[in-house]
Amino acid sequence: RDAAHALKSAIGNFSTSGATATASQIEHLARQGGSLTAAMGLVPALERQVEVLLASLAAYRREQESCVS
């Protein structure tokens, strides 16, 4: 539960995307004593969403670096 909350908060610093919503669903399941199987079913979607977020952050970083150069 704590890990899901920390991940949701970290993602939320950069995005209000589906990744935040999915991490929130996982946290909710953990908080309610929900099924680990249900939470694990959300992990592949969360992984894809985090990959998109990371790619966006990398593109932003490259853009900022090109402005400074």
Side-chain angles (χ1 to χ4, degrees), residues 22-50:
T22 303
S24 183
Q25 287 179 295
I26 293 170
E27 179 187 16
H28 178 76
L29 285 169
R31 186 175 298 153
Q32 300 302 317
S35 165
L36 181 59
T37 302
M40 291 302 296
L42 295 170
V43 170
L46 180 60
E47 288 174 337
R48 286 189 303 276
Q49 293 160 344
V50 168

Side-chain angles (χ1 to χ4, degrees), residues 7-24:
L7 180 60
K8 179 190 75 171
S9 297
I11 292 169
N13 286 324
F14 299 103
S15 174
T16 57
S17 70
T20 304
T22 303
S24 183

